[in-house]
Amino acid sequence: MTEPGAKRLSGKVAVVTGAGSRAEGIGNGRAAAILLARHGARVALVDAVRGWAEATARMIEAEGGDCCVIEADVTVPAACAEAVAQTAARSGGLDILVNNVGIGGPQGTAVEVDPAAWDQAMRVNVTSMMLMAKYAIPEMRKRGGGAIVNIASVAGLTGGHPHLFYPTSKGAVVQLTRAMAAQHGGDGIRVNCIAPGMVYTPMVYSGGMSPELREQRRQRSLLKTEGTGWDVGNGVLYLVGEEARWVTGIVLPIDAGATAAAGGLPARRP
């Protein structure tokens, strides 16, 4: 366990995909990257938009953290391989992978959704996680183990979504996590999943959200409070650290209890 006063992730090397934010503020990937660096990890900030990741880097560097920016499209195998190779070359290895990239994807039911858009969005939300793990796991084996956290959504646990793609892709991330945990536990690699609830992040508000809809989202939980990227980032920090050394294959909802009350609260008897 970490010695008192020591940084929890000192000496660790991490890759966070989707480490930028598409608007001002703190998204899940940015929060995770900042927290990992704050606790001593050397962090590679991977994003398809370099400027978004550079903004995260400035925040980390302002706190004295160690990071680098890697522009990469994680739907492309060669780009994933290069991102991992650059990280290992710069920092001497790899211990932590946070698969955070994700999009809302195409709208519609099975009848309405565009198949080509579906295929491309699946590459973003699911295939990218497989590809990053494909190249990260061999580096982790060299270090005697590691930790992977995949970011899904409560939509992948409960369904009941107006569009077919998003809950389908996030449900796939849940099962990918469980399968990878079983396959790589013998390598000392822990694989876990976070299922965020109604967090208010740049990905959510950059598209525009009325105060009424924001309040409706806040009310869809037991705590009646709004989550932020920091809530998800702190979950990542726990799952990659020594405090979670005996934790693998789990799905951690960070949702203010939304999934616990997915069916609504029963009426009280008089």
Side-chain angles (χ1 to χ4, degrees), residues 121-142:
M122 274 292 188
R123 290 196 66 81
V124 176
N125 282 15
V126 184
T127 305
S128 69
M129 298 192 181
M130 175 276 291
L131 289 172
M132 287 301 299
K134 180 180 184 67
Y135 300 106
I137 287 171
E139 292 296 333
M140 292 179 179
R141 285 172 174 158
K142 295 175 185 177

Side-chain angles (χ1 to χ4, degrees), residues 154 195-198 220-222 253-260:
V154 293
M198 299 296 171
R220 288 174 59 185
S221 71
L222 298 181
I254 298 181
D255 65 351
T259 49

Side-chain angles (χ1 to χ4, degrees), residues 73-93:
D73 179 350
V74 292
T75 68
V76 178
C80 295
E82 180 61 21
V84 170
Q86 283 188 40
T87 302
R90 175 182 184 269
S91 301

